[in-house]
Amino acid sequence: MDWLWELIGQQAQAGCMAVQGGFVGLMGEGDAIAGNFCRLMAGAWLTVKLTLISLVIGFALAVPVALARLSRNPLLNWPAVAYTFYFRGTPLLVQLFLLYYGSGQFSPELRELGLWRGMFREAYFCALLTLTLNTAAYTAEILRGAMLGVPAGEVEAARAYGMSGVKLYRRIVFPKAMRIALPAYSNETVFLFQSTSLVSLVTLLDLMGVARDVISSTFRTFETLIFAGLVYLAISFLIFSIFKRVEQHLMRHLKGAGGGEGQSAAGGTKA
Amino acid sequence: MEYTRELFQGYQWVFWAGAEITLLVGLASLPIALVLGLLGAWSKLCSIGPLRGLAVVYTTVVRGVPELVLILLFYYGLTILLQDLIAFLAGSSEPVDLPRFLTGTMTLGLIYGAFATEVFRGAYLAVSRGQIEAASAFGMSPFLAFRRVILPQMWRFALPGLGNLWLVLIKATALVSVIQLPDLMYQTNVGRMATRAPFTFYFTASLIYLLITAVSLIAIRYAEQWASRGVVRKI
């Protein structure tokens, strides 16, 4: 697989250089955006990559947290409540600095455990870990609300059919909860995507990081920030439109059947 | 007392100084956001096409671009703009130093005004049509109807959204530290650099944010109860 990624990378870079050449020809040699187009796009790629990875791992983490949050066992419930309250109640920037700078206070211990080199020492690892833990907390709350929004009648019907435990959740609760959670989850995805811009403050060269770099070398603050803003805006729109597609796909069985079920889904999101 | 002095190596003052600025920034930008939100919601619901378009552009752009980009764009962009303007008018290049508190609160107010717009729009639409019709049947002017009938009911529908907005806003104030506004985040950085205890400092700062959130949550619950005091609870 590696050779494939390398090939794609090379092709992307070659294509990007060609586009950059075109822009430089169009805008002139000294233009801040045209001259740094490839670097900015590489930054945007890191932004997207950080979003995707933390989204996937965050979701995988959010499911057990949401279940623990719904559990009546205090040993499961309490840690989940504390975790979601902490990560939802403090700024992402503090969490990021806490992990990136704060881990330095325990560097001897972390080194001992083999968690320093290639892990807590690296800004990339800390940024990814922070984003993942943060989005997992928000997603867990969304999922919890959605699971509470699953109509009791459906769960009762499933139980009457003899379903219980994992099967009940896999066949009835999760599919229904996903539909209820989708609008809120699409918002959370866009928020996560935008908040990745904070990683530029711990030296990472994401879109924002490259933009700041370009500003400090060209002093073209306005153009560079507006360009970065437009790229963020475009990708935010892309994320929304993807979610709209997914939503239509998941709701396709409701077409023409009246708004009954659709209404209950919309009501569930508010809760 | 002795223990905290030892723990923070004499830098415990950063938390008091910082928390004060954080609260001030949050409390100052909230009214800006509310006013912009009401104006935005009114524009979105009014019959004047260009105004509606403007409101849609405002909410879409602000919600589609990261706060960090907007804060830097506002602060440095305005500085450069003023510098160029002065250079153009006076012919000399004076370094401009924008008031940080003012720029920071204005930017946050502008950003969260877009979110407040959506909250108020939803709340207005939630007030039943019959109420508005009844008000006009009583001969109330649109403004009087808004003040006496719509606004008091809108609050109830808007409060959960506004409470949420406040919680997000107070956390977003941490970003103004990038324009050197000495808020809790900025002061904590000062403490971190002066001592060798970054974890202690950031963890304490996070607990202060958590405390602000917790107190806000309680206040929001009381406000919601107060706003719905005239409503029969069904459950």
Side-chain angles (χ1 to χ4, degrees):
Chain A
M1 279 310 268
D2 277 353
W3 63 270
L4 186 66
W5 279 116
E6 212 163 292
L7 188 72
I8 293 171
Q10 279 168 5
Q11 293 300 315
Q13 197 165 10
C16 189
M17 283 313 266
V19 175
Q20 176 165 335
F23 278 150
V24 170
L26 216 65
M27 310 290 290
E29 198 66 56
D31 190 77
I33 309 296
N36 292 292
F37 183 73
C38 277
R39 286 180 60 210
L40 286 162
M41 286 302 110
W45 170 236
L46 179 61
T47 295
V48 171
K49 204 165 86 176
L50 282 170
T51 310
L52 285 178
I53 298 176
S54 44
L55 200 66
V56 171
I57 307 177
F59 187 84
L61 216 68
V63 175
V65 174
L67 289 174
R69 192 81 170 66
L70 287 168
S71 155
R72 288 199 175 83
N73 183 347
L75 278 179
L76 287 172
N77 187 314
W78 259 87
V81 169
Y83 166 68
T84 47
F85 185 57
Y86 184 82
F87 277 92
R88 280 158 35 97
T90 58
L92 179 65
L93 188 60
V94 178
Q95 296 161 14
L96 183 63
F97 280 17
L98 183 72
L99 280 174
Y100 180 65
Y101 293 111
S103 60
Q105 196 168 330
F106 306 107
S107 62
E109 289 87 350
L110 289 169
R111 203 167 278 156
E112 198 106 319
L113 290 165
L115 295 174
W116 184 246
R117 261 168 199 285
M119 292 182 85
F120 280 96
R121 199 180 62 171
E122 315 301 333
Y124 180 73
F125 175 83
C126 291
L128 205 54
L129 185 63
T130 314
L131 290 170
T132 304
L133 290 175
N134 185 276
T135 188
Y138 281 95
T139 309
E141 272 312 285
I142 293 172
L143 288 179
R144 185 185 75 102
M147 283 197 254
L148 286 174
V150 174
E154 291 187 19
V155 179
E156 272 169 29
R159 282 197 205 282
Y161 270 105
M163 286 187 210
S164 65
V166 177
K167 192 180 269 181
L168 172 70
Y169 271 88
R170 187 167 55 86
R171 286 209 185 148
I172 308 296
V173 178
F174 280 135
K176 179 75 184 177
M178 288 309 152
R179 286 193 193 110
I180 297 174
L182 210 61
Y185 190 60
S186 76
N187 271 337
E188 166 55 21
T189 307
V190 173
F191 274 129
L192 171 70
F193 164 70
Q194 291 184 4
S195 36
T196 56
S197 60
L198 295 190
V199 304
S200 65
L201 298 173
V202 292
T203 71
L204 283 186
L205 288 176
D206 70 323
L207 177 55
M208 192 63 199
V210 177
R212 286 161 66 103
D213 222 37
V214 170
I215 290 168
S216 60
S217 61
T218 61
F219 301 108
R220 309 305 298 182
T221 312
F222 246 137
E223 298 91 314
T224 315
L225 282 177
I226 287 177
F227 178 78
L230 286 176
V231 176
Y232 276 112
L233 195 64
I235 302 178
S236 296
F237 268 116
L238 189 71
I239 297 172
F240 269 129
S241 68
I242 290 173
F243 269 100
K244 196 154 256 176
R245 279 277 176 84
V246 174
E247 212 167 313
Q248 277 166 1
H249 178 74
L250 286 179
M251 304 291 181
R252 69 197 181 286
H253 62 291
L254 297 175
K255 238 178 223 162
E261 181 134 13
Q263 212 122 54
S264 82
T269 1
K270 262 186 221 157
Chain B
M1 222 45 236
E2 207 48 48
Y3 176 70
T4 44
R5 201 161 296 155
E6 201 178 311
L7 186 65
F8 298 118
Q9 300 168 40
Y11 275 88
Q12 61 275 25
W13 59 268
V14 298
F15 299 116
W16 301 120
E20 192 188 340
I21 300 287
T22 288
L23 282 174
L24 281 176
V25 170
L27 290 174
S29 37
L30 187 66
I32 304 176
L34 293 185
V35 170
L36 281 174
L38 277 173
L39 283 176
W42 176 71
S43 315
K44 269 201 168 180
L45 293 163
C46 78
S47 52
I48 309 163
L51 213 55
R52 229 168 33 223
L54 199 71
V56 171
V57 170
Y58 165 55
T59 52
T60 317
V61 168
V62 168
R63 295 192 309 159
V65 176
E67 289 114 329
L68 186 61
V69 177
L70 291 172
I71 288 172
L72 291 179
L73 192 63
F74 243 70
Y75 185 68
Y76 292 109
L78 272 183
T79 307
I80 292 168
L81 213 64
L82 279 178
Q83 239 155 23
D84 287 353
L85 198 69
I86 289 171
F88 178 73
L89 291 177
S92 65
S93 53
E94 292 273 329
V96 175
D97 199 16
L98 275 182
R100 297 196 158 86
F101 186 83
L102 199 69
T103 334
T105 47
M106 295 272 273
T107 316
L108 285 176
L110 192 79
I111 295 171
Y112 288 95
F115 291 85
T117 298
E118 295 303 318
V119 173
F120 282 130
R121 198 180 74 97
Y124 177 84
L125 292 174
V127 175
S128 84
R129 290 287 312 157
Q131 298 273 343
I132 300 162
E133 277 165 22
S136 70
F138 269 106
M140 291 190 196
S141 70
F143 181 74
L144 191 66
F146 180 76
R147 192 168 61 84
R148 280 213 194 140
V149 179
I150 301 171
L151 195 63
Q153 299 189 63
M154 257 174 75
W155 278 123
R156 191 166 65 84
F157 295 116
L159 260 176
L162 292 181
N164 230 347
L165 184 103
W166 164 254
L167 294 176
V168 181
L169 172 66
I170 200 74
K171 284 183 283 167
T173 56
L175 290 181
V176 297
S177 60
V178 297
I179 56 168
Q180 269 87 48
L181 189 72
D183 75 323
L184 181 53
M185 194 66 211
Y186 179 89
Q187 297 284 25
T188 310
N189 289 337
V190 170
R192 181 253 299 178
M193 282 185 256
T195 62
R196 295 233 160 242
F199 188 88
T200 315
F201 273 86
Y202 287 121
F203 191 65
T204 311
S206 76
L207 291 184
I208 295 175
Y209 280 110
L210 211 56
L211 183 72
I212 297 176
T213 303
V215 172
S216 305
L217 278 171
I218 295 169
I220 291 165
R221 207 169 59 213
Y222 274 109
E224 276 174 31
Q225 273 171 8
W226 179 79
S228 340
R229 68 199 179 285
V231 183
V232 181
R233 267 190 70 168
K234 289 198 187 88
I235 306 164

